[in-house]
Amino acid sequence: MTFFERFAQVCNTIENIKGSLEITSVVAGFFREVSDEELPIVTRFIMGHIFPVWSNKESGIGPNILYSAISRTSSLPLKRIEKLVKETGDIGIASEKAIRSGKTHLSFFEGEEKLSITEVYSRFEKISGLEGKGSQDTKIKNLQYLFSSAKPEEITFLSRLSIEELRIGVGEGIVRNAIAEAFDVSRELVERGVLLTNDMGLVAVTAKKEGQTGLEKLGVVINRPLKMMLAQIGPGINETVKEMGQVAVEWKFDGARVQIHKEGNEVKIFSRKLEDVTLSLPDLVGSVMSKVSAASTILDGEAVAIGKDKRPMAFQEILRRFRRKYDISATSIDIPLHLNLFDILYLDGESLIDLPLFERRKKLEEACDRSILADQTLTNDPLIVEKVYKEALTAGHEGVMLKNPGSLYSPGKRGKNWLKLKPIMETLDLVVVGGEWGEGRRTRTIGSYLLACRDPDTDKLLPIGRVATGINDEQLQEMTNLFKDLIISENSNHLEFEPKIIFEVAFEEIQKSTNYGSGYALRFPRLVNMRSDKSLEDSDSIERVEQLYIGQK
Ligand code: AMP
């Protein structure tokens, strides 16, 4: 059995080293140390995740619940906790300080057993299942139990983990390499396993118990979402047709991505972030049941909401449907969703991802009714592509996707085999890491947001500019309410947020700048959309910023 104390020690060691190779070795050593049962849990904990991404479980703990639990454990008033967070700028350190200086902690649990990693996990699982009246208080009590059972030196990491913000710089890349190092298997196989199963814990346990051969056998699994294939920006119709020869042209629908798993009478729908959104979308489940004849299959497509004017409704409206937990039938009447399926990844026990697109398309057409399929045109004539492109724009969609008919389905990859073509200027998906309170009449609202791009090598977020939302008072207030719960620290009117929300931002130009950590700044940035369908790892990287910068010259 491994104690949480050991996990905290490992985190502490990692925090004090800089090079990612050294960090990888420490993580690998830790993976070797723990039991088979603990391994899946620690692969997630070390990245600051409590549950697998594909499960629809969330920790359900935000800064407010955390502050209350710390306040109760330490017997210090809430205000004092908030002040400590402001002073230290770190919720973990503030929690540890509070508990060390509080009255109750040490004497409280003398002689109690030490907290184990599995016990911490089970407690978080219990908290995540709590809903409804009184659940807030029960969550606080459960968290308080954990803090009271922990030693002071465990508190920093327990506190950060509870809000899934471990901040020790360990991301998916390091964990993948650490699995390879710990169990002496190839990195490529580990990466393949993760893309296919989207379950780092399963990959780690397979590597440990069955080595390379076990990893080779990992494949597409029904009811376990796999990462979605992504698109690149195409160079233009003529160039693309010249390069690909024949192209498969489809509308680029203005909607939200869905991956659908059907097994007998069971349907599961996963969002682009691979979250299970089935319960919010009963109408889509209904269409799948009535229009998909295959017994067991995984389908990929775009869900579109068509308004009364027959045009696609705003993207935010669709996301409202995805998030909805109550009054689902009323919203499904207001915002009816329609499926446009464009791919099939699995059929009756067999993975199809290694078949070329044109063969997958045949299987897709056999498995589903035409009414839920995206039309596809195979052509080598740029004029025909142009025609489809204009039709898509006239119908209110974004443009077209040009796909290589001979290409395989590459989970999680943004490659040259799917090219998107759309008229609007490129945007960046940036993580909101900070903000500022407004001035004058708007002192109670957050007036501007600090944005950052990702450095995939170090998992650091590099600031690149600020965007003022400049919308009406009501929307400003709505956004303020959303971000208020994510405040980690506050210094005069500067705020630091948990990096959870992605803004899609348009801009006039990218400039070199010493004002921001990324070395770049955006000229005239403008908020296009809040992308609650995207997760941190979907945000744009510093490489993409560099490419756009070079491209605009
Ligand atoms: P983007 O988000 O701009 O990188 O564009 C890729 C997204 O376009 C995919 O993730 C889908 O959600 C969406 N999309 C719409 N229509 C299609 C299509 N026919 N094929 C693939 N993706 C599509």
Side-chain angles (χ1 to χ4, degrees), residues 47-49 53 163-172 227 230 271-275 414 428-434 450-462 483 486 488 497-503 531-542 544:
M47 289 190 284
H49 298 169
V53 213
I163 54 162
E164 303 193 276
E165 273 301 316
L166 201 58
R167 295 178 159 213
I168 54 168
V170 176
E172 216 181 280
K227 297 219 168 151
L230 302 168
S271 70
R272 154 124 194 205
K273 280 197 225 167
L274 305 184
E275 287 165 346
R414 198 181 279 288
L428 280 169
D429 291 328
L430 299 168
V431 188
V432 185
V433 290
L450 180 65
L451 308 165
C453 57
R454 232 173 0 100
D455 181 345
D457 296 332
T458 59
D459 280 314
K460 288 214 167 91
L461 293 169
L462 311 171
F483 279 97
L486 299 175
I488 301 180
F497 300 133
E498 272 185 71
K500 286 240 157 100
I501 299 203
I502 311 287
F503 277 3
R531 298 295 304 255
S532 26
D533 61 322
K534 293 201 171 180
S535 53
L536 212 61
E537 61 177 34
D538 292 323
S539 61
D540 278 311
S541 63
I542 181 77
R544 168 112 207 281

Side-chain angles (χ1 to χ4, degrees), residues 308-483:
K308 292 205 175 72
D309 58 357
K310 302 258 184 295
R311 296 179 69 79
M313 291 165 80
F315 177 70
Q316 292 305 333
E317 298 290 332
I318 304 182
L319 288 186
R320 259 182 57 209
R321 283 286 324 267
F322 275 51
R323 284 196 299 262
R324 195 84 185 188
K325 293 214 170 111
Y326 311 101
D327 293 335
I328 288 166
S329 51
T331 36
S332 53
I333 295 168
D334 282 354
I335 315 171
L337 289 179
H338 180 75
L339 275 178
N340 294 285
L341 299 174
F342 47 74
D343 223 317
I344 182 163
L345 317 179
Y346 174 97
L347 182 63
D348 298 333
E350 260 180 73
S351 162
L352 306 183
I353 62 168
D354 294 325
L355 287 185
L357 173 62
F358 73 90
E359 286 189 28
R360 299 202 303 276
R361 178 74 198 188
K362 277 191 220 143
K363 301 220 182 251
L364 178 67
E365 288 176 8
E366 280 160 23
C368 310
D369 187 272
R370 263 224 110 82
S371 62
I372 53 168
L373 296 189
D375 283 334
Q376 191 191 72
T377 312
L378 272 178
T379 181
N380 56 9
D381 182 351
L383 290 176
I384 295 185
V385 178
E386 183 80 41
K387 187 169 155 270
V388 182
Y389 179 62
K390 287 201 174 126
E391 282 165 3
L393 294 181
T394 313
H397 289 285
E398 288 179 10
V400 282
M401 298 287 298
L402 304 182
K403 299 181 179 174
N404 179 349
S407 63
L408 316 184
Y409 191 93
S410 320
K413 291 274 158 38
R414 198 181 279 288
K416 285 208 167 96
N417 287 321
W418 283 19
L419 296 176
K420 54 186 172 185
L421 230 91
K422 44 185 191 177
I424 54 164
M425 200 209 153
E426 266 317 304
T427 53
L428 280 169
D429 291 328
L430 299 168
V431 188
V432 185
V433 290
E436 266 174 29
W437 291 116
E439 287 175 353
R441 194 167 61 84
R442 289 185 163 170
T443 43
R444 310 246 55 173
T445 51
I446 301 170
S448 82
Y449 293 86
L450 180 65
L451 308 165
C453 57
R454 232 173 0 100
D455 181 345
D457 296 332
T458 59
D459 280 314
K460 288 214 167 91
L461 293 169
L462 311 171
I464 185 166
R466 290 177 187 282
V467 68
T469 47
I471 32 182
N472 61 37
D473 281 1
E474 193 190 335
Q475 278 167 318
L476 266 178
Q477 195 54 54
E478 224 175 85
M479 303 248 292
T480 302
N481 293 344
L482 174 74
F483 279 97

Side-chain angles (χ1 to χ4, degrees), residues 250-253 257 302 342 401 403 420 422:
E250 295 162 3
W251 285 8
K252 184 174 188 310
F253 297 95
R257 187 87 176 255
E302 188 88 348
F342 47 74
M401 298 287 298
K403 299 181 179 174
K420 54 186 172 185
K422 44 185 191 177

Side-chain angles (χ1 to χ4, degrees), residues 199-225:
D199 190 331
M200 201 69 96
L202 175 71
V203 173
V205 171
T206 310
K208 179 178 178 187
K209 288 187 170 168
E210 298 167 52
Q212 300 262 127
T213 354
L215 288 179
E216 274 161 9
K217 278 194 253 152
L218 283 180
V220 178
V221 184
I222 191 119
N223 291 330
R224 184 70 61 80

Side-chain angles (χ1 to χ4, degrees), residues 15 63 66-67 70 81 84-86 88-100 147 151-163 165-167 487-489 496:
E15 248 189 347
L66 176 58
Y67 291 1
I70 298 288
I81 310 293
L84 272 172
V85 176
K86 262 188 215 170
T88 57
D90 180 315
I91 210 164
I93 296 174
S95 307
E96 184 173 334
K97 276 198 167 177
I99 286 178
R100 278 187 191 276
F147 285 127
K151 291 189 175 165
E153 51 275 25
E154 296 168 60
I155 301 283
T156 296
F157 299 103
L158 188 57
S159 162
R160 291 188 194 158
L161 183 63
S162 73
I163 54 162
E165 273 301 316
L166 201 58
R167 295 178 159 213
I487 298 176
I488 301 180
S489 68
E496 186 193 357

Side-chain angles (χ1 to χ4, degrees), residues 137 264 435:
D137 196 54

